[in-house]
Each structure stands twice: as C-alpha cells, then as structure tokens.
Amino acid sequence: MAFPIAKLVFDTYHLKQRTYTYEGIQIAINPEVFPPNFTISTKILLDYVKSLRLQNKTFLELGCGSGILSLFAASKKAIVTASDINRVAIETLKEASKKNKIPITVVYSDLFENLLNKTFDYIIINPPYYPKAPKNIKEHAWFCGDNFEYFEKLFAQLPQHISPNTLMILSEDCEIEHIKQLAFKNKLSLKLISKKSVLKEKNYIFNIEKI
Ligand SMILES: C[S@@+](CC[C@H](N)C(=O)[O-])C[C@H]1O[C@@H](n2cnc3c(N)ncnc32)[C@H](O)[C@@H]1O
C-alpha cells in the first residue's frame, strides 16, 4: 500500500492494541510497532519463509517489529534472533515468545551494534525506506532518514555479517535504484530472487551479495 495511505490507515486503526494471528501464533500489535497485518511486505516475507527449510538454521530478523516472522521461523525449528531499536517492540515480542511457548532470542540493537561478530544462516530485513528523518521511535519503521542514512549504515556493516541468504524486501514504491547504488558503494549487489504484485503494488525480495 502506498505511503502515506498505509501509514494513515495504520495510525487510525492502531490507536489501541490489536491482535494478529498467523498459523496459530497470536501476537499483540502495540500502536508503537509496525503492523504486520496492514502492510503487504510482512505477509510476502511470511510466505517466503514458509517455503524455506529452516530446521537448525540460525536466523536473524533485523528490525523485527512485531516479530511474527521470527516466531514463525522458530516454529519451523530455526534458531532465531530478533533485533530492533524499538524497545516497545522488543518487550512485546518477549511476551509473545513466552505466551506462544516459542523460544527466541530478542535483542535491542541499532542494526548490528549489539550483534558484533555474529553470523547467521539467514538474515531477513524488511527495512524502513521512505526518505525522511524519523521524528520518533515509531517512525523508524517507515523512514530511513533524509539521505537514506539507514541504508548507508546497514550496507557499511553488512559485509562483516553477510551470509548466502541475506534477504531484503523492497517495494516499487521506494527508490530501489538509489538503494542499489548505496549497496554498490560497499561492494554489495542486490540480486532479485522473487517478485510479487499485491493490490497492483510490486514487491521484490532481493538477496544481498558481495560483489
Ligand atoms: C518495516 S518495519 C518491519 C518489521 C518486521 N520485520 C516486519 O516485517 O513486520 C522496520 C523495522 O525496522 C526497525 N528499525 C529501523 N531502524 C532500525 C535500526 N537502525 N536498527 C534496528 N532496527 C531498526 C523498526 O523499528 C521497525 O520495527
């Protein structure tokens, strides 16, 4: 859904806490946290994760928001770490992990800052991609900074952590070519592995690779 429509619908609907259920996993969606039910990207990634063999694979959801992807991956026997800079998301996900009896590791981390020297079999990223400075923690789910600072920092850190499965979803709604150039500056390339149109909006899953 195009911004700002998605954000407007989300802000109105999410004035109070809601619940969301996927494959028997029930989570609370706090108004301060990115909604997996209103936006298309999380659902596309859930479908993608469903197709993966994850038993005993290490799996990082970088910027986990509600963490439904992390809980689902763990329900498929992956060894999951979920990270975010939103402390409300972190605490709500810890609760959901307990309630659903799906153990995962939940870490407060600005990108890889608290995940130093860690590598994973899978890294999944649904990034904020609208170029605007976030004014509060909730807006970090949508805005990547006036000058795409989120991506600058991510691509600078990623070479130390990258795995053969480092996946990122982007929408046609965002400046994909610019994001590709930022990756290229750090000797990374975005290889298209899946394309899905929902409500006429094209979404792409890229594998990030070292050049
Ligand atoms: C678009 S939401 C995706 C949430 C979740 N992965 C999903 O697919 O539903 C982006 C998430 O990245 C988090 N985020 C933004 N900047 C971050 C940073 N520098 N470090 C860690 N997480 C960040 C936001 O707080 C938000 O939860």
Side-chain angles (χ1 to χ4, degrees), residues 39-183:
T39 52
I40 297 159
S41 52
T42 313
K43 289 209 198 83
I44 292 176
L45 286 176
L46 282 167
D47 283 347
Y48 190 80
V49 167
K50 204 176 209 172
S51 71
L52 301 174
R53 285 190 171 182
L54 289 177
Q55 187 151 20
N56 295 327
K57 301 285 184 202
T58 52
F59 181 105
L60 169 67
E61 184 182 12
L62 188 82
C64 58
S66 71
I68 187 64
L69 271 162
S70 292
L71 293 171
F72 180 55
S75 77
K76 287 172 59 81
K77 309 274 183 265
I79 303 153
V80 173
T81 302
S83 68
D84 211 289
I85 40 160
N86 182 331
R87 290 194 190 275
V88 176
I90 294 287
E91 292 312 313
T92 313
L93 180 53
K94 282 182 183 167
E95 280 294 305
S97 164
K98 274 191 214 140
K99 277 195 182 144
N100 287 281
K101 299 190 172 63
I102 304 177
I104 60 173
T105 303
V106 188
V107 181
Y108 171 85
S109 183
D110 182 349
L111 295 174
F112 286 98
E113 229 161 62
N114 295 332
L115 297 165
L116 291 183
N117 305 320
K118 295 240 185 243
T119 56
F120 301 86
D121 296 314
Y122 285 85
I123 300 176
I124 307 283
I125 311 172
N126 181 3
Y129 48 62
Y130 294 107
K132 191 176 160 189
K135 288 200 294 288
N136 51 49
I137 201 65
K138 188 170 160 180
E139 288 194 354
H140 277 272
W142 304 87
F143 302 137
C144 61
D146 285 326
N147 298 302
F148 294 80
E149 288 85 346
Y150 169 93
F151 289 99
E152 293 264 12
K153 211 169 144 188
L154 172 69
F155 294 139
Q157 294 179 6
L158 206 45
Q160 282 90 61
H161 302 270
I162 201 160
S163 81
N165 302 291
T166 303
L167 308 172
M168 176 152 78
I169 189 163
L170 293 173
S171 151
E172 63 175 343
D173 225 21
C174 74
E175 294 180 42
I176 294 180
E177 284 314 311
H178 185 63
I179 293 168
K180 280 184 174 174
Q181 280 169 23
L182 296 176

Side-chain angles (χ1 to χ4, degrees), residues 179-195:
I179 293 168
K180 280 184 174 174
Q181 280 169 23
L182 296 176
F184 187 71
K185 278 204 315 200
N186 288 282
K187 299 192 170 55
L188 297 170
S189 75
L190 270 56
K191 185 176 164 211
L192 183 65
I193 54 166
S194 169
K195 182 161 110 178

Side-chain angles (χ1 to χ4, degrees), residues 192-197 202-205:
L192 183 65
I193 54 166
S194 169
K195 182 161 110 178
K196 192 157 186 184
S197 289
K202 291 192 192 79
N203 281 266
Y204 307 96
I205 300 178

